[in-house]
Amino acid sequence: MLLGNYFTNIDNSKKKIFFSGISFNSKDIKKDNIFFAIKGNHFDGNKFISIAIKKGSKIIISEKRITNPQKDILFIHTKNIRKLLAEIAFKIYKNKPNNLIAVTGTNGKSSVSDFYFQLLKLNKIKVASIGTLGVKSKNIRRNLQNTTIDPIRMGQILSKLKSQKINNVIMEASSHGLTQHRLDGLKFSSGIFTNLSQDHLDYHKNFKDYFKAKQYLFENLIRKKGNVITDETLPEFKRIKKIAISRKLKLQVLNNSKNQFQILSHSYRGEKQILKIRYYNLTREINLNLIGKIQLKNILMAIIAAKNSNISLIKILNVLSQLKPIDGRLEKIGKIKNSSKVILDYAHTPDALRICLSNLKEQFPNKKIILLFGCGGNRDQNKRFKMGKIACDYSNEIYLTDDNPRFEDPRKIRDDIKKGIQDTSIKEIPDRKKAISEAIKNLNTGDILLVAGKGHEKTQDFGKKKIYFSDKKIILDCIKLKNISLSKNFKINIIKELSKTKNKIPLVKADKVRINSKEVNKNDIFFAIKGKKNDGNKYIGEAFKNKASLVVVNKVQNKFNSKRQIKVRNTLKFMTEISKIFRQNIDTNIIAITGSCGKTTLKELLGNVLGKISSVSISPKSYNNKFGVPLSLLNLKRSDEFGVLEVGMDKKGEIDNLTNIIKPNVGLITNINYAHAKNFKNIKQIALAKAEIIKNILPNGFVVLNADDSFFKLLKKIAENNNINVISFGIKTKKANVKLFNIKKVKKAFKIKVKLNDKFKYFIISNNFQSNIYNILSALSVISIYKDVLKLNEKIFLDFRSPAGRGDHSTIKIGNKKINLIDESYNSNPLSLKSALKNYDNIDTKKYRKYLLLGDMMELGSHSKKLHQSIVPIINETNIDKVFVMGKMVREIFDNIVKVKRGRILENKSGIFELIKKDFNNNDYLMIKASNATGFNSIVNNLKGLN
């Protein structure tokens, strides 16, 4: 190589001087190499000139003027030796990939680079990345000492990548690398600016100087008409934009319509993030298997860079769900049997730590966040106090340990950090390995441990020595040890943890949780609950006889296997606490349904439909009280996408208590009316009691409301005040999100046209009952949150049948007569009775007669007489032939309906059988409606032959 081919502004007499290579390290000098004598922070290359000359260097370059040059040695003076080194290096290694991309910023460089790398690799396009994580390509895996390496090694690597026909390379551009001109001589097609926050202020004079270093990339190293990718919400955006405009670079910002795609919504499901993306005119849902919302910003930057690399947007979106976490960047390590998690992250700046912790709190609300961290030595000392304060503000517990102390006293570093920590539990364990071990050993169900600071690193720096040290390896070893003491069964782990039992719980299977010993099956857990009437402790023998794996009791009974008895003070309270922990550690989307009537039927309908398109569990029967709700929760399958639970009440505060256990993703209030009214002065109080569900809906959750209900505006306002999304349904109200548009009779069924915001969908349903239509509309409202309703089968609701006692139709035989029975005997209140009457009135009985048997509506208190009388005009308007009653308050109805409709008052249950035998004809219709407490349900079961 000749000087004249690589150096400008050099004497003609010197241009044909030969050189064999370049080096800035005297140890690497070979014969005829040019030696760049760089004065650094720790070493001055000018002191090694003589060594370089002895090793064969005849050309020396320095910023220092040589007064007595050695004979036959060419000394070249330069004002910026680092810049010249880079420019010469990249001229020597001139074969480089065509598409070079540089990423700079305080945090996120490695993530953006690796996501870009993955996007191209998944699309089978040759690609490489260079940075903190080393050199990555299909055939190369190499660790690097610096984020941005020296230009000689960089040139060698780029040349090798080019020889392997790799034309797409993304690299991290650190502030040190840019300040020291390590990338000068390269021209980048795209430059990415992630963010700016405190870091490296031990090197840079101040924050302004730090930002100036980052700007150098955009001011000097982006090729003509190149791209600048950044986030317009950043404080530094104006300056970056100004540079882009002045240099005529193409400025590309996140979530801009010019990118041809837009994120419509974002939500979490456990460790996953769910995106709804609109691209061109299409909408698509994408699941990301990544922890931390900050990942979205990094991915978006990578997507834009990938598009600039001539990859179609559709191809990019097709592989998004396959993206994997970056090594040591919000990376979940291993799997712990009690569903606690260990997250490893490189966060070593105040802003990175804050973002990391806040992201974990957002994605895993109500979880205990534990932080293990320290700070590096011989680095910006001012950030230690700040990081201590951030740790205090965003975590529940802190393990303070050593990071890379380097040449500083580790105790002093920890003391600096502790100055920022107040009011948070702190455990100071200098030995990082011991700290990690202790933190993992103490993890309870669902806890989140963030091990921050070192991320992917494989060494720990103690100044005079560096030892092999991998956070990841230590974490995996500790998890393996912890799992030995844990059961494979999640519920067993919670029971053991919460009961604080010192006895070793046997390795048993645990299927369902039961509180009724008669229902116990093999491997179920029986909770012996002591109630007002029955004491479950008396039935543990029956539970064991039915092969229960464990029983939870108030008192251990020695005549049974004591190892399989877990003693607690209050079994109901214990079961409730277990269900809370269980709920916090499942990813199931839970829909909680309350309202004055229709809860159970809607629950069954929603469960039926969701079961056809996904996996779902629902609460059995009417398990909607303090016993049924925790029991239903514990019997959900952890793998289910959905759980549908019913929530009841008869006084203020009950829904609050129950939904505080459930913590629903979606709350649904069917309607507001007088039910269990004896404990309320007026109907508004009932509405406010039902509204208690809203405050316990998870953040970013939804409440589904009946827009036709008189309390809709009140409930909507409460939801908005709690930052809960509202979806409305209705038949009458035009502005409902999900609305009945029209209905038509089609053979033996009905066809409904439903308006879903601005789109329409048809469904075939079995009847035109108003209550059924309301249930369908509310079910569609829920489903629309998670699925594309327009893709549902139009017959998805057709086969649904009402549960027993809630309007189910059957044919019964009394003597030699067949009677069409409509069973509404499970319960009754004013709204449900009015709805049942309208439905009954719609039934075409042809020539056969239509009878009604009513019992009392119970628990209406002082409102009872008025509310019973309110039913009279509705009955009078129906085509019901005769009304029969049995009960005290229901006589208010009987005495006031028109005489032609009055049948007679029955005094006892046996009168019903006699009535049918004597007064009814074959194929006549009978609807029976009464509150559960009247015992009518038992009467109907007798008629059906079920008792």
Side-chain angles (χ1 to χ4, degrees):
M1 292 179 284
L2 303 179
L3 279 182
N5 293 335
Y6 296 91
F7 288 79
T8 57
N9 300 323
I10 196 165
D11 291 345
N12 288 333
S13 61
K14 310 286 194 310
K15 286 184 178 180
K16 291 190 177 181
I17 294 177
F18 171 82
F19 71 97
S20 60
I22 59 175
S23 177
F24 59 89
N25 188 334
S26 60
K27 293 178 182 178
D28 298 332
I29 288 290
K30 293 180 174 60
K31 186 181 179 182
D32 293 326
N33 274 189
I34 299 175
F35 177 58
F36 285 76
I38 298 172
K39 184 178 181 181
N41 295 324
H42 302 292
F43 301 100
D44 184 355
N46 291 285
K47 294 180 179 180
F48 298 90
I49 290 175
S50 58
I51 296 174
I53 291 172
K54 284 181 181 178
K55 295 186 75 172
S57 177
K58 295 178 182 178
I59 303 170
I60 308 296
I61 298 177
S62 175
E63 291 178 356
K64 185 179 179 181
R65 292 193 179 275
I66 307 299
T67 53
N68 296 308
Q70 191 172 330
K71 190 180 179 182
D72 297 328
I73 302 298
L74 175 63
F75 283 89
I76 298 174
H77 175 262
T78 182
K79 291 181 179 179
N80 193 331
I81 191 169
R82 291 182 184 274
K83 182 177 175 65
L84 182 61
L85 171 66
E87 290 172 347
I88 299 303
F90 293 126
K91 281 182 181 179
I92 292 171
Y93 300 104
K94 61 183 179 181
N95 291 325
K96 296 180 285 289
N98 301 335
N99 181 31
L100 296 179
I101 301 165
V103 190
T104 195
T106 307
N107 302 308
K109 298 186 294 295
S110 298
S111 295
V112 173
S113 297
D114 204 82
F115 285 138
Y116 173 85
F117 177 87
Q118 289 188 57
L119 289 175
L120 268 67
K121 185 180 177 185
L122 288 166
N123 275 290
K124 295 181 171 54
I125 295 171
K126 289 186 176 183
V127 62
S129 66
I130 305 171
T132 311
L133 300 176
V135 182
K136 284 175 67 175
S137 72
K138 184 178 180 181
N139 299 315
I140 301 175
R141 284 287 190 278
R142 186 184 301 170
N143 293 328
L144 300 174
Q145 289 291 96
N146 303 104
T147 298
T148 306
I149 54 176
D150 69 82
I152 297 175
R153 290 184 69 202
M154 180 69 82
Q156 291 168 345
I157 289 169
L158 291 175
S159 182
K160 185 172 183 179
L161 293 173
K162 178 67 175 178
S163 70
Q164 294 177 357
K165 297 183 180 179
I166 294 172
N167 277 312
N168 300 286
V169 177
I170 189 164
M171 65 180 73
E172 298 177 47
S174 69
S175 59
H176 288 69
L178 291 167
T179 302
Q180 294 175 10
H181 302 279
R182 295 178 200 164
L183 299 177
D184 281 45
L186 293 177
K187 286 298 177 182
F188 295 94
S189 56
S190 294
I192 302 173
F193 181 74
T194 59
N195 50 60
L196 195 75
S197 63
Q198 183 176 342
D199 199 14
H200 304 303
L201 296 189
D202 55 308
Y203 178 80
H204 300 284
K205 294 176 184 177
N206 49 48
F207 200 73
K208 184 179 180 181
D209 188 55
Y210 179 40
F211 182 35
K212 188 179 178 181
K214 300 292 187 185
Q215 293 174 60
Y216 188 84
L217 170 66
F218 306 100
E219 290 172 333
N220 299 284
L221 304 181
I222 308 298
R223 69 168 53 149
K224 190 177 180 181
K225 295 183 180 181
N227 306 294
V228 175
I229 302 166
T230 190
D231 179 1
E232 62 185 334
T233 65
L234 295 173
E236 299 78 21
F237 174 71
K238 287 184 179 179
R239 177 61 189 151
I240 300 295
K241 181 180 180 181
K242 188 176 180 180
I243 295 170
I245 292 170
S246 67
R247 293 201 59 223
K248 297 181 180 179
L249 303 173
K250 184 180 179 183
L251 185 64
Q252 297 173 297
V253 297
L254 306 186
N255 235 21
N256 188 293
S257 58
K258 291 180 181 178
N259 297 331
Q260 299 172 324
F261 70 96
Q262 182 182 11
I263 295 178
L264 300 177
S265 68
H266 167 265
S267 60
Y268 301 106
R269 188 173 183 225
E271 296 170 23
K272 292 184 178 182
Q273 301 186 61
I274 300 158
L275 305 180
K276 274 191 179 177
I277 293 180
R278 177 183 290 149
Y279 59 103
Y280 305 116
N281 293 318
L282 301 172
T283 301
R284 184 168 177 177
E285 185 177 286
I286 294 172
N287 291 346
L288 292 176
N289 296 302
L290 299 168
I291 291 172
K293 193 174 183 178
I294 187 63
Q295 307 274 30
L296 299 188
K297 181 176 169 181
N298 298 330
I299 288 169
L300 288 174
M301 289 183 172
I303 288 173
I304 296 170
K307 277 184 73 231
N308 293 341
S309 304
N310 297 317
I311 306 174
S312 71
L313 180 59
I314 291 175
K315 285 185 176 181
I316 294 170
L317 296 180
N318 282 343
V319 299
L320 272 189
S321 61
Q322 299 177 53
L323 290 178
K324 294 179 180 178
I326 315 303
D327 190 13
R329 271 70 175 171
L330 283 168
E331 181 186 12
K332 180 193 167 188
I333 308 298
K335 187 175 182 180
I336 306 178
K337 291 178 183 177
N338 69 353
S339 282
S340 55
K341 296 176 179 63
V342 183
I343 311 297
L344 180 63
D345 195 83
Y346 190 52
H348 59 278
T349 68
D351 197 51
L353 188 64
R354 178 188 59 78
I355 289 171
C356 204
L357 287 167
S358 62
N359 275 212
L360 291 176
K361 287 176 80 73
E362 181 180 342
Q363 188 161 354
F364 305 104
N366 305 315
K367 296 293 179 70
K368 184 178 180 182
I369 305 292
I370 301 154
L371 171 64
L372 185 149
F373 84 117
C375 284
N378 304 114
R379 295 292 185 268
D380 181 8
Q381 296 184 16
N382 185 43
K383 71 181 181 182
R384 295 171 188 172
F385 173 87
K386 294 178 181 178
M387 291 180 72
K389 189 174 187 314
I390 288 166
C392 180
D393 291 343
Y394 288 90
S395 58
N396 305 104
E397 190 176 319
I398 297 169
Y399 286 83
L400 186 58
T401 189
D402 292 339
D403 190 280
N404 289 316
R406 297 186 178 88
F407 292 95
E408 266 197 85
D409 179 1
R411 182 179 292 177
K412 181 187 178 300
I413 298 172
R414 296 194 303 274
D415 287 344
D416 288 346
I417 296 169
K418 283 191 287 185
K419 290 173 184 175
I421 299 174
Q422 295 176 346
D423 305 324
T424 302
S425 172
I426 180 170
K427 296 177 182 177
E428 187 173 353
I429 305 174
D431 186 311
R432 191 174 181 91
K433 183 176 180 179
K434 287 182 180 178
I436 292 171
S437 175
E438 186 71 12
I440 291 175
K441 185 179 77 173
N442 293 330
L443 286 175
N444 286 326
T445 302
D447 288 350
I448 309 286
L449 171 64
L450 172 65
V451 178
K454 290 175 61 59
H456 66 286
E457 292 180 349
K458 297 291 193 298
T459 61
Q460 190 171 19
D461 189 344
F462 290 96
K464 292 183 179 180
K465 65 174 182 177
K466 286 185 180 180
I467 63 169
Y468 173 79
F469 194 98
S470 166
D471 278 359
K472 184 183 286 190
K473 184 181 184 305
I474 292 167
I475 291 166
L476 287 170
D477 289 344
C478 293
I479 287 174
K480 186 177 180 180
L481 189 64
K482 183 179 181 69
N483 278 336
I484 293 172
S485 63
L486 292 171
S487 169
K488 290 181 180 179
N489 188 280
F490 186 56
K491 293 172 191 171
I492 297 290
N493 288 326
I494 302 175
I495 290 172
K496 182 179 180 180
E497 179 184 306
L498 206 60
S499 66
K500 296 183 172 63
T501 180
K502 294 180 181 179
N503 298 329
K504 185 178 180 181
I505 295 177
L507 295 174
V508 295
K509 292 182 179 180
D511 292 335
K512 298 283 187 180
V513 171
R514 308 286 187 185
I515 59 174
N516 185 339
S517 60
K518 289 182 170 61
E519 296 176 353
V520 170
N521 293 312
K522 186 179 180 181
N523 295 325
D524 287 345
I525 303 174
F526 175 63
F527 280 76
I529 293 174
K530 190 174 183 179
K532 291 180 180 179
K533 294 182 180 179
N534 295 307
D535 182 356
N537 291 281
K538 295 179 180 179
Y539 300 95
I540 70 169
E542 184 175 26
F544 277 129
K545 186 180 178 181
N546 289 335
K547 298 185 179 179
S549 58
L550 285 177
V551 297
V552 181
V553 298
N554 299 122
K555 184 179 179 181
V556 173
Q557 298 183 34
N558 293 327
K559 60 182 176 180
F560 303 110
N561 188 339
S562 60
K563 289 183 179 179
R564 291 179 180 258
Q565 298 179 62
I566 309 296
K567 183 185 175 183
V568 298
R569 183 174 294 179
N570 184 319
T571 49
L572 175 59
K573 186 177 179 182
F574 185 73
M575 182 175 76
T576 302
E577 289 303 311
I578 288 173
S579 69
K580 283 183 180 180
I581 296 173
F582 183 80
R583 169 59 184 121
Q584 290 168 8
N585 291 281
I586 59 174
D587 298 335
T588 304
N589 296 301
I590 294 188
I591 299 105
I593 301 173
T594 192
S596 295
C597 70
K599 298 184 293 294
T600 303
T601 304
L602 175 56
K603 175 202 69 181
E604 297 288 338
L605 171 70
L606 190 53
N608 178 278
V609 174
L610 287 173
K612 294 173 181 176
I613 57 175
S614 185
S615 55
V616 63
S617 291
I618 66 172
S619 54
K621 304 174 186 176
S622 290
Y623 279 30
N624 60 16
N625 59 12
K626 65 180 181 180
F627 302 105
V629 165
L631 191 66
S632 298
L633 255 180
L634 284 170
N635 287 327
L636 292 178
K637 294 176 184 174
R638 293 183 72 199
S639 59
D640 283 337
E641 184 179 2
F642 298 102
V644 186
L645 303 182
E646 182 181 336
V647 184
M649 68 145 203
D650 61 12
K651 57 179 179 289
K652 179 184 175 183
E654 285 190 335
I655 287 180
D656 183 23
N657 291 333
L658 295 174
T659 54
N660 187 43
I661 300 168
I662 296 171
K663 294 293 183 186
N665 302 87
V666 179
L668 194 159
I669 303 175
T670 58
N671 43 58
I672 304 296
N673 208 272
Y674 286 97
H676 306 293
K678 66 178 182 180
N679 295 317
F680 299 94
K681 291 181 180 179
N682 52 56
I683 193 169
K684 185 177 180 181
Q685 286 190 348
I686 296 174
L688 292 172
K690 296 292 184 184
E692 290 169 3
I693 193 174
I694 295 171
K695 76 173 187 178
N696 288 316
I697 294 171
L698 289 177
N700 302 312
F702 292 78
V703 65
V704 176
L705 300 174
N706 186 339
D708 294 340
D709 193 274
S710 57
F711 287 95
F712 171 70
K713 288 183 179 179
L714 172 66
L715 298 174
K716 184 181 180 185
K717 186 177 180 182
I718 293 170
E720 289 170 346
N721 289 340
N722 283 273
N723 295 316
I724 298 299
N725 302 294
V726 176
I727 295 181
S728 59
F729 65 92
I731 295 174
K732 305 167 189 174
T733 308
K734 292 181 180 179
K735 293 183 179 180
N737 299 112
V738 181
K739 185 185 184 313
L740 177 69
F741 194 75
N742 61 39
I743 181 168
K744 294 179 181 178
K745 186 88 165 69
V746 180
K747 296 180 181 179
K748 292 183 179 181
F750 293 85
K751 189 174 187 178
I752 59 171
K753 185 178 183 181
V754 179
K755 186 178 182 183
L756 302 124
N757 293 318
D758 57 344
K759 296 179 180 178
F760 292 92
K761 173 73 178 177
Y762 289 96
F763 292 98
I764 307 298
I765 62 176
S766 59
N767 62 65
N768 64 344
F769 296 165
Q770 189 179 81
S771 57
N772 185 41
I773 293 170
Y774 271 124
N775 285 339
I776 288 170
L777 296 176
S778 59
L780 288 171
S781 300
V782 172
I783 295 167
S784 71
I785 298 168
Y786 300 100
K787 306 290 181 181
D788 186 350
V789 173
L790 299 177
K791 293 181 180 178
L792 294 178
N793 189 301
E794 67 172 11
K795 294 182 179 180
I796 197 164
F797 296 104
L798 186 60
D799 65 349
F800 177 72
R801 297 294 176 264
S802 297
R806 295 169 177 85
D808 64 294
H809 294 203
S810 60
T811 302
I812 60 171
K813 193 171 183 180
I814 306 293
N816 59 354
K817 295 178 184 177
K818 287 184 179 179
I819 303 298
N820 295 294
L821 177 66
I822 292 87
D823 180 8
E824 287 275 4
S825 66
Y826 181 77
N827 221 334
S828 184
N829 61 52
L831 183 61
S832 69
L833 177 52
K834 290 173 184 177
S835 176
L837 289 169
K838 288 180 182 178
N839 293 341
Y840 194 33
D841 195 43
N842 279 340
I843 295 175
D844 181 8
T845 62
K846 298 177 181 177
K847 62 182 180 179
Y848 303 107
R849 293 173 67 79
K850 192 181 285 187
Y851 298 109
L852 174 65
L853 172 59
L854 292 177
D856 288 339
M857 295 184 288
M858 308 290 281
E859 298 184 47
L860 298 178
S862 61
H863 311 283
S864 185
K865 183 175 179 179
K866 174 185 70 176
L867 294 173
H868 278 85
Q869 289 176 348
S870 71
I871 303 300
V872 172
I874 296 169
I875 291 177
N876 286 340
E877 291 176 4
T878 66
N879 55 22
I880 294 170
D881 293 293
K882 292 290 180 184
V883 178
F884 304 90
V885 299
M886 187 174 78
K888 181 180 178 182
M889 295 308 301
V890 78
R891 295 190 184 193
E892 293 292 337
I893 297 175
F894 186 84
D895 292 341
N896 289 285
I897 59 174
V898 292
K899 286 185 178 180
V900 70
K901 290 186 181 291
R902 292 181 200 167
R904 62 175 179 266
I905 297 170
L906 304 178
E907 299 298 333
N908 52 54
K909 299 175 183 178
S910 61
I912 296 173
F913 287 90
E914 292 301 314
L915 175 71
I916 294 172
K917 287 178 182 178
K918 293 181 179 180
D919 293 41
F920 287 20
N921 293 321
N922 197 39
N923 292 321
D924 281 346
Y925 283 72
L926 170 64
M927 183 173 84
I928 300 178
K929 181 77 172 169
S931 284
N932 200 300
T934 61
F936 268 54
N937 193 239
S938 175
I939 296 170
V940 172
N941 284 339
N942 285 332
L943 290 173
K944 291 178 176 178
L946 298 175
N947 287 344

